[in-house]
Every structure is written in C-alpha cells, then in structure tokens.
C-alpha cells in the first residue's frame, strides 16, 4: 500500500518509543471501570502528567461527590455523555467529542455521573500544576465538539484539543504548557508532528493499529500507552487496512517535588496534611462543601 506524503516539515530527530504499557481494566469510582495507563504502580508519574484513564461507566455507576486540589483534570468524551456538577453551582453535560478542562486549583468538590443510556466512554487526564498555581481559584474551560479546532491533510485528521497541529491552534489555555492532539490516520497515511524538545510526551492508541517512532517497528494496537524518548517530534504510520486513532499528549515538565494523597497533589507532606485538614474542616477553599451534595446524593471514599 503506497504511503501518503508526510503532513508537515521533516523532523531532525524523531522520538522513539522507550516504554510500552497495556492499560488493563480495573474498578474505579462506584461501579465504573477504567483502563489506567499513567498513575498505576509501574508509572506513578510522568511529569507533568499524574493520571490517564480511559473510562467506561453505565448508570447507576459513576464518580460521585469527591474533592480535588493542586492540579487540572481534562475530560474528553468518546461516547455517550457525563453530567458534571460542583459545590459552587457549576453544572453541565458533556457529550461525545466535547471537552472539559477543569483547573481544580485550591479546591473543588464535584461529581461526574452518566447522563445517557448505555455505556459512557471517555478519557480523563490529570495534569499537575506548578507550586505557584496550586492554590489559584478553580476555573473551567468547556468546549463543545463542534467548536474544537480540526484540520485534515494527506489522509490525516486532527482534533486540536490543546496546542497546535497541521497549522491549526487550540483556543484552550494551559497553565502547564501542554499539547493534546486527537489524530485519525487513514490507511497509508504518514504523520510527522513536531513536539518541543524539552517536553515529555506519550501516545495512547484508541482504535486500530499503528507504527510509531521507526517505520520498521512492530504495530501497536488499542489501549496501549507509549512513552516517547527525546527528540523533536513524532513519526507515525498506518500500514493497516483500517483507520488508526490515537492521542498524542506532551507537556513541559515541572521538575518540582511531588506528594500525592489520592485527589490531593501538592509539593510537600506538610501541604498535604494541611489540605486534609482544610477538607475535613471545610476551610481554605472547601467552605462550600459543608452543606453541598450532588443530585446523586453519593460520596466517593478516597
């Protein structure tokens, strides 16, 4: 099958795959199932990324009331819909192709529950915040599917969730500099995507099988996470007869101390202890949690 021309200028030093993980299903929340690739015991942290979950949830299962502090959650829906509500009165529903970029900052308590029949599927990425941003006020960026920037060239389609690809930029603001690209490659397509050399980057395969890093590498199929080594970009090929879909995510490392206790991510144990006190005593950002319960009426232990 002839390869289509590359999608951009050539790369001087394409990144190679240095580690590969299969994300296996595991229980999470209340009755939900996730395939966790970052944040598992083999890969606790890939600076600045804390967690990557491919989730699957069917009512009445879900992710009821739970807190966050010190990082951002990025929810990207693949199928179905999820209803979100928090203790500040913010609520809404994100459906297939929609994006929610939530900066938890100094504190959020919220719930994420199924909003449609059948199984809801999506990706949730946790991105660490620098110490100077951990205690900022919470913020949301919510973008409907029709408003996510897209580009198509030479058998390659990209949805630009954050960053830039094929000359198209996302409007999402990232406090921790981040790129998040959803690529679909037709059979025979060949991608060359620049990545800032100082950033960490990974690929997560959603559908089909692809070749990454070297053209003679073995194909990689769905639910695999690929950590990329050093270099100035990613090369990928679809040498199969079916569509290949994957996300490419990169971020600038924070290079700061990390202490995590479940949904709380800070720089020191003292800050974690203070966060637990704040949450338990409804202070310093968690005041509204005292009398708030979501419509689900459930609370998630952590």
């Amino acid at each position: 099958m002839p390869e289509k021309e590359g999608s951009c200028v050539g790369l001087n030093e394409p990144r190679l795959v240095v580690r590969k993980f299969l994300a296996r299903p595991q229980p999470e929340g209340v009755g939900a199932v996730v395939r966790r690739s970052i944040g598992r015991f083999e890969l606790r942290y890939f600076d600045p990324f804390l967690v990557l979950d491919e989730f699957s949830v069917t009512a009445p299962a879900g992710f009821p009331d739970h807190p966050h502090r010190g990082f951002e959650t990025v929810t990207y829906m693949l199928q179905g819909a999820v209803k979100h509500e928090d203790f500040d009165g913010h609520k809404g529903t994100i459906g297939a192709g929609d994006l929610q970029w939530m900066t938890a900052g100094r504190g959020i308590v919220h719930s994420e529950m199924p909003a449609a029949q059948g199984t809801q599927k999506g990706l949730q990425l946790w991105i660490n915040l620098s110490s100077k941003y951990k205690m900022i006020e919470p913020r949301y960026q919510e973008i409907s599917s029709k408003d996510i920037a897209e580009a198509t060239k030479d058998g390659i389609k990209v949805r630009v969730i954050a960053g830039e690809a094929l000359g198209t930029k996302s409007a999402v603001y990232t406090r921790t500099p981040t790129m998040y690209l959803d690529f679909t490659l037709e059979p025979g397509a060949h991608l060359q995507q620049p990545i800032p050399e100082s950033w960490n980057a990974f690929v997560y395969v959603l559908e089909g099988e692809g070749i990454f890093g070297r053209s003679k590498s073995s194909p990689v199929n769905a639910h695999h996470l690929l950590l990329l080594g050093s270099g100035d970009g990613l090369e990928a090929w679809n040498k199969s007869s079916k569509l290949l879909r994957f996300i490419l995510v990169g971020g600038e490392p924070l290079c700061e101390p990390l202490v995590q206790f479940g949904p709380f991510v800070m720089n020191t144990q003292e800050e974690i202890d203070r966060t637990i006190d704040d949450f338990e005593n409804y202070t310093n950002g968690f005041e509204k949690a005292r009398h708030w319960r979501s419509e689900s009426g459930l609370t998630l232990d952590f």
Side-chain angles (χ1 to χ4, degrees):
M1 185 180 298
E3 289 185 0
K4 297 175 182 176
E5 290 299 316
S7 63
C8 64
V9 296
L11 302 172
N12 292 321
E13 186 186 358
R15 293 179 179 231
L16 303 181
V17 176
V18 294
R19 294 180 75 184
K20 180 175 77 169
F21 301 95
L22 173 63
R24 293 182 171 85
Q26 67 182 62
E28 187 70 17
V30 176
V33 174
V34 303
R35 292 178 178 267
R36 179 162 296 170
S37 48
I38 299 175
R40 55 197 255 176
F41 69 92
E42 305 102 319
L43 185 61
R44 289 294 186 191
Y45 184 47
F46 187 51
D47 193 2
F49 305 110
L50 296 152
V51 167
L52 177 65
D53 282 345
E54 180 184 1
F55 63 84
S56 177
V57 57
T58 304
F63 305 96
D65 305 6
H66 60 280
H68 295 294
R69 175 182 277 181
F71 61 100
E72 300 183 297
T73 67
V74 181
T75 306
Y76 183 44
M77 292 300 298
L78 302 175
Q79 173 184 306
V82 164
K83 179 181 179 181
H84 168 273
E85 55 179 317
D86 74 15
F87 68 179
D88 201 31
H90 184 95
K91 61 175 63 178
T93 300
I94 53 174
D98 294 348
L99 172 74
Q100 182 195 76
W101 198 292
M102 183 185 82
T103 304
R106 67 197 300 253
I108 280 282
V109 179
H110 73 158
S111 69
E112 301 153 295
M113 301 297 288
Q117 298 297 314
T119 301
Q120 331 305 314
K121 296 183 178 181
L123 300 171
Q124 188 168 93
L125 176 69
W126 292 13
I127 306 174
N128 200 7
L129 286 169
S130 171
S131 57
K132 62 185 175 183
Y133 296 134
K134 284 189 177 295
M135 295 298 286
I136 62 174
E137 290 298 319
R139 178 174 187 256
Y140 290 91
Q141 297 174 86
E142 293 173 321
I143 303 178
S144 64
S145 182
K146 64 181 177 59
D147 294 326
I148 291 179
E150 294 187 359
T152 304
K153 183 179 181 181
D154 297 333
I156 297 169
K157 174 185 172 183
V158 63
R159 308 190 82 220
V160 186
I161 296 165
E164 180 178 0
L166 303 186
T168 300
K169 291 184 178 181
S170 167
V172 168
Y173 173 68
T174 62
R175 286 195 178 275
T176 301
T178 305
M179 64 189 302
Y180 190 143
L181 308 172
D182 175 5
F183 283 108
T184 301
L185 274 61
E186 295 179 2
H190 172 208
L191 169 72
Q192 293 180 303
Q193 170 61 40
I195 303 168
E197 290 195 46
S198 63
W199 289 17
N200 285 330
F202 66 85
V203 164
Y204 187 78
V205 182
L206 295 171
E207 177 185 347
E209 64 174 32
I211 294 171
F212 301 90
R214 288 193 182 98
S215 64
K216 298 187 183 300
S217 298
S218 299
V220 180
N221 56 18
H223 313 303
H224 278 91
L225 177 87
L226 308 177
L227 299 187
L228 304 178
S230 60
D232 61 356
L234 171 70
E235 275 199 277
W237 295 261
N238 183 0
K239 298 186 178 183
S240 74
S241 59
K242 298 180 180 180
L243 289 177
L244 163 66
R245 186 181 182 190
F246 62 92
I247 60 167
L248 169 62
V249 179
E252 184 174 60
L254 299 177
C255 301
E256 293 183 357
L258 174 81
V259 181
Q260 180 174 358
F261 180 77
F264 303 141
V265 181
M266 303 301 286
N267 296 102
T268 68
Q269 186 60 50
E270 181 184 8
E271 290 171 341
I272 288 291
D273 293 342
R274 191 180 311 131
T275 296
I276 295 170
D277 286 342
D278 288 343
F279 177 64
E280 292 180 344
N281 295 299
Y282 309 109
T283 58
N284 201 21
F286 290 109
E287 289 84 354
K288 294 179 181 179
R290 182 185 295 273
H291 301 295
W292 180 81
R293 295 293 181 273
S294 71
E295 291 180 8
S296 73
L298 302 173
T299 300
L300 183 61
D301 293 328
F302 63 92

